[in-house]
Amino acid sequence: MRLPGRRFGVAAAALVAVAALAPGAPARAETAGVLLVVANRISVDDAGQSGIEPFLRDCHLALISPQLTGRPQEGAVFATISAGTPSRGADEYGLMLEAREPFEGGTAAQAYARRTAFPEPPGGLVHLGMARVADANRKLKAKPQVWLLGEALREAGIGRAAFGSADVSEESLRKRSRNPSEKRSRMGAALVADRYGIVPEGIIGAESVRKAPHVPGGLATGLDLLRAAVLKSLASRQVAVVEFGDLERIEQERINCTPEAYRLARAEALERLGEWLTGMRRALPDTPILLISPVPPLDEEGRWNRLGFAAMAAGGQSQGLLTSNSTRTPGIIAASDIAPTLVHAAGVAAPGQMGGYRAEGGEARSPVETLRRWDLTVRLKKDLALPVILGLGILAALSGTLAIWTIAHRPCSRTRAVFVLFALGLTAWIPLLLLFPLDRPSLYFALAPGVIAAFALARRVKGESPFFPLEAPALLLLGSLALSAFGGLDWTKRSPLCGWQFSGLRYYGIGNEFMGCIIAGAAIIPLWRFGGRHSRIDTGVLAAWFAFWVLVLGMPMLGANFGGAVAATVTFGLVARALAGRQTRVRDAALLTLAGILVAFALAVLDAAVSGWSPSHLGHAVRVIQSGDSNYLLAMLQRKISMNLDLGTSAVGGVTFGVFAIVSAAWALYRKQMLESVRLVSRIVQGMIGMGYGALVALIFNDSGIVSAAFMFAFALLWWLWFAVAKSAGGLPSLRNPVANSRN
């Protein structure tokens, strides 16, 4: 017997299925994959005052570090994303086509077969720029697997599909006199290409965009047209990538728009994107949705001076911040974290070759305001870091040169000596000033009161140490760096010297720019305070002081600085020997270097053993070496050499070398008078030699060791000049102790 409601039930089920695929339908899919939306040119400014704000209300947000060490290049950022580790890119990274699209007189599939020697695919999407991308990474010792994201999904049996593009119109290209082949910009689709350059499904050609005469560039992403295909892909548990290229096209046409037209066009595009994302969220409430904008809007001068933007929604969470083990900084993730995040959302273990870590959300107070402060920090560093460093460099050069001239022209008046000492005392605050975040200008106003207070207190403590005007800023610097290592301050992350937000070379701990300050400050204070006295410092206190700073630098959860632990062990050991009245010998220096390596390596091995899936970069390095990657050590050596060369030839390096060149020229001019002016006791001389050897070790063992060595040399020179100027003017009563008399 046939049930009368059977046909009705079948018809109703069909209607429900059709409604689920129809544009704007808020139906819920039974199963879901992962949705990645790529929309370049979004910034944190859009998070609280644009059409995407409703979608972002229950998302975890972050800025994206592009991990770029050289000229900003879009292909490099996207190559880093798909490889899960820093990579180099090429303009052809986005040269992705549908297999049947016309290309070079035939089809893209035919061109693919010619360029790769792989069989001509029957359909799907093909990448035609693989050779160029591979060539861009050819010189790297540890060559990244640029297509690792797509390959990991393919091997796990997870489907991939890509939709949309940032293609520009032929008319727009002609206005810019560009090559017609450059109209194709399909970075999103390339993200999930496997090692064969294939994405099985997708719509990225002419069908993915529609003509829009009212929009700059004349094209707009056909979101409504793509919705049904995207829902179908997600219902099949695929990873679907949708590239919303409207903002990119608007950015390309910015030069042809008035500021008001540009602003209105962006607002309308963000409104369309926000409505589409909100609709997808309603239709798929349990589907992980990741919105990324790796390339931010350029400023009015056409500069890339901001970080990208990311938002992740899944499971009805409240708005918060994303972070990862790469950055350990709420509100900032690395470009290399995106691939591990996607494969984890798809239920796949991240391949070991991915150096990034999955991003995780957490609650936060005022997440948008936190991102805005980071955005301000990054932009200020891009705009003001060099002028600030140049100004402080000029101050250091003038004070050093003036001090040398004063020492060489003995005797000098008391007034001149006081002026020079004040200039040197002001110079001693430069490392602390370089630690202060540029977005906290009130901290800089503490400079003058701090210098005056240090000189005033020097009269009270001169019986203990004549160097208090130098010790005070050094102690404040050491305390601030220790608080930063323990998480009490974030100054090391926001310092004008720290460019990690763009380079991605170090996101946490004590970087090499301040490693030299810690080693020099912690060594020079006891050396000059006790080196000229007949009494000895308590060895237990000295050992505890040095051990504390070795651990601050070397512990993976604190400074996480392998080279810092090595250089600190060597420097502190040699200074301790000098304070004990022993000579600095090559054999002792070599043994201490070996001991430093063993200490640092033991800390790294401990980190790799106990940190689970989230070790520091030290533990990660140990694991990679244990896996048998023979190129990893070569890649580290390559990075160390290239970074030191880059720093030496950069604008900041030019300022530093300029300062040392000026001071060195003044020293050479008056070298005879300088050598005859002051004779130091043997313990201080030996300690200074030990610091010099420690600076050499820092230069060898650290990526940017040239910076550490420069700071260590600057500390030693500053303290010697201070003492020599005071002595040439008659000195303070307590200054006579460190001077070797004629019997010495």
Side-chain angles (χ1 to χ4, degrees), residues 220-236:
T221 303
L223 292 175
D224 291 339
L225 301 175
L226 296 176
R227 180 184 176 87
V230 174
L231 285 170
K232 181 180 178 181
S233 173
L234 293 172
S236 302

mmCIF file of all heavy atoms in Angstrom, residues 220-236:
data_model
loop_
_atom_site.group_PDB
_atom_site.id
_atom_site.type_symbol
_atom_site.label_atom_id
_atom_site.label_comp_id
_atom_site.label_asym_id
_atom_site.label_seq_id
_atom_site.Cartn_x
_atom_site.Cartn_y
_atom_site.Cartn_z
ATOM 1 N N ALA A 220 33.503 43.352 -10.313
ATOM 2 C CA ALA A 220 33.186 43.042 -8.924
ATOM 3 C C ALA A 220 33.043 41.535 -8.784
ATOM 4 O O ALA A 220 32.625 40.843 -9.721
ATOM 5 C CB ALA A 220 31.902 43.741 -8.477
ATOM 6 N N THR A 221 33.420 41.020 -7.635
ATOM 7 C CA THR A 221 33.296 39.584 -7.376
ATOM 8 C C THR A 221 31.829 39.182 -7.339
ATOM 9 O O THR A 221 31.023 39.815 -6.651
ATOM 10 C CB THR A 221 33.962 39.223 -6.038
ATOM 11 O OG1 THR A 221 35.332 39.642 -6.075
ATOM 12 C CG2 THR A 221 33.912 37.721 -5.792
ATOM 13 N N GLY A 222 31.485 38.128 -8.057
ATOM 14 C CA GLY A 222 30.099 37.677 -8.093
ATOM 15 C C GLY A 222 29.780 36.788 -6.904
ATOM 16 O O GLY A 222 29.587 35.568 -7.042
ATOM 17 N N LEU A 223 29.686 37.389 -5.723
ATOM 18 C CA LEU A 223 29.469 36.617 -4.504
ATOM 19 C C LEU A 223 28.173 35.824 -4.550
ATOM 20 O O LEU A 223 28.123 34.665 -4.141
ATOM 21 C CB LEU A 223 29.490 37.551 -3.296
ATOM 22 C CG LEU A 223 30.850 38.186 -2.957
ATOM 23 C CD1 LEU A 223 30.702 39.188 -1.830
ATOM 24 C CD2 LEU A 223 31.864 37.107 -2.585
ATOM 25 N N ASP A 224 27.102 36.462 -5.023
ATOM 26 C CA ASP A 224 25.822 35.755 -5.090
ATOM 27 C C ASP A 224 25.892 34.584 -6.067
ATOM 28 O O ASP A 224 25.303 33.524 -5.832
ATOM 29 C CB ASP A 224 24.711 36.724 -5.502
ATOM 30 C CG ASP A 224 24.411 37.737 -4.409
ATOM 31 O OD1 ASP A 224 24.744 37.449 -3.246
ATOM 32 O OD2 ASP A 224 23.869 38.816 -4.721
ATOM 33 N N LEU A 225 26.638 34.772 -7.163
ATOM 34 C CA LEU A 225 26.766 33.703 -8.148
ATOM 35 C C LEU A 225 27.601 32.541 -7.601
ATOM 36 O O LEU A 225 27.371 31.382 -7.965
ATOM 37 C CB LEU A 225 27.411 34.248 -9.424
ATOM 38 C CG LEU A 225 26.662 35.397 -10.131
ATOM 39 C CD1 LEU A 225 27.490 35.913 -11.301
ATOM 40 C CD2 LEU A 225 25.305 34.909 -10.624
ATOM 41 N N LEU A 226 28.558 32.841 -6.740
ATOM 42 C CA LEU A 226 29.457 31.814 -6.223
ATOM 43 C C LEU A 226 28.908 31.104 -4.997
ATOM 44 O O LEU A 226 29.378 30.026 -4.639
ATOM 45 C CB LEU A 226 30.809 32.443 -5.855
ATOM 46 C CG LEU A 226 31.621 33.050 -7.003
ATOM 47 C CD1 LEU A 226 32.870 33.721 -6.457
ATOM 48 C CD2 LEU A 226 31.997 31.987 -8.017
ATOM 49 N N ARG A 227 27.901 31.676 -4.353
ATOM 50 C CA ARG A 227 27.429 31.158 -3.068
ATOM 51 C C ARG A 227 27.012 29.691 -3.138
ATOM 52 O O ARG A 227 27.394 28.873 -2.295
ATOM 53 C CB ARG A 227 26.267 32.017 -2.570
ATOM 54 C CG ARG A 227 25.704 31.568 -1.234
ATOM 55 C CD ARG A 227 24.496 32.413 -0.848
ATOM 56 N NE ARG A 227 23.899 31.928 0.373
ATOM 57 C CZ ARG A 227 24.262 32.272 1.597
ATOM 58 N NH1 ARG A 227 25.268 33.111 1.754
ATOM 59 N NH2 ARG A 227 23.643 31.783 2.664
ATOM 60 N N ALA A 228 26.216 29.333 -4.150
ATOM 61 C CA ALA A 228 25.731 27.964 -4.255
ATOM 62 C C ALA A 228 26.889 26.985 -4.430
ATOM 63 O O ALA A 228 26.917 25.911 -3.802
ATOM 64 C CB ALA A 228 24.750 27.838 -5.421
ATOM 65 N N ALA A 229 27.863 27.348 -5.263
ATOM 66 C CA ALA A 229 29.008 26.463 -5.483
ATOM 67 C C ALA A 229 29.840 26.320 -4.212
ATOM 68 O O ALA A 229 30.343 25.228 -3.902
ATOM 69 C CB ALA A 229 29.863 26.996 -6.625
ATOM 70 N N VAL A 230 29.990 27.402 -3.465
ATOM 71 C CA VAL A 230 30.758 27.342 -2.219
ATOM 72 C C VAL A 230 30.054 26.456 -1.203
ATOM 73 O O VAL A 230 30.674 25.621 -0.543
ATOM 74 C CB VAL A 230 30.975 28.765 -1.661
ATOM 75 C CG1 VAL A 230 31.635 28.698 -0.284
ATOM 76 C CG2 VAL A 230 31.826 29.594 -2.617
ATOM 77 N N LEU A 231 28.745 26.620 -1.062
ATOM 78 C CA LEU A 231 27.987 25.791 -0.121
ATOM 79 C C LEU A 231 28.067 24.310 -0.503
ATOM 80 O O LEU A 231 28.187 23.437 0.367
ATOM 81 C CB LEU A 231 26.530 26.255 -0.072
ATOM 82 C CG LEU A 231 26.256 27.553 0.697
ATOM 83 C CD1 LEU A 231 24.829 28.016 0.470
ATOM 84 C CD2 LEU A 231 26.530 27.370 2.175
ATOM 85 N N LYS A 232 28.010 24.044 -1.772
ATOM 86 C CA LYS A 232 28.120 22.663 -2.226
ATOM 87 C C LYS A 232 29.489 22.081 -1.875
ATOM 88 O O LYS A 232 29.600 20.929 -1.439
ATOM 89 C CB LYS A 232 27.879 22.597 -3.730
ATOM 90 C CG LYS A 232 27.959 21.183 -4.300
ATOM 91 C CD LYS A 232 27.715 21.194 -5.802
ATOM 92 C CE LYS A 232 27.844 19.788 -6.385
ATOM 93 N NZ LYS A 232 27.643 19.790 -7.859
ATOM 94 N N SER A 233 30.524 22.883 -2.069
ATOM 95 C CA SER A 233 31.876 22.429 -1.746
ATOM 96 C C SER A 233 32.018 22.161 -0.252
ATOM 97 O O SER A 233 32.570 21.135 0.163
ATOM 98 C CB SER A 233 32.894 23.481 -2.190
ATOM 99 O OG SER A 233 34.191 23.159 -1.759
ATOM 100 N N LEU A 234 31.509 23.053 0.571
ATOM 101 C CA LEU A 234 31.609 22.882 2.014
ATOM 102 C C LEU A 234 30.792 21.697 2.500
ATOM 103 O O LEU A 234 31.177 21.004 3.446
ATOM 104 C CB LEU A 234 31.169 24.163 2.723
ATOM 105 C CG LEU A 234 32.080 25.381 2.506
ATOM 106 C CD1 LEU A 234 31.457 26.626 3.093
ATOM 107 C CD2 LEU A 234 33.459 25.135 3.127
ATOM 108 N N ALA A 235 29.639 21.471 1.862
ATOM 109 C CA ALA A 235 28.823 20.316 2.232
ATOM 110 C C ALA A 235 29.545 19.007 1.947
ATOM 111 O O ALA A 235 29.236 17.975 2.548
ATOM 112 C CB ALA A 235 27.495 20.356 1.475
ATOM 113 N N SER A 236 30.516 19.042 1.034
ATOM 114 C CA SER A 236 31.320 17.855 0.727
ATOM 115 C C SER A 236 32.573 17.768 1.591
ATOM 116 O O SER A 236 33.496 17.025 1.274
ATOM 117 C CB SER A 236 31.723 17.878 -0.762
ATOM 118 O OG SER A 236 30.587 17.918 -1.589
#
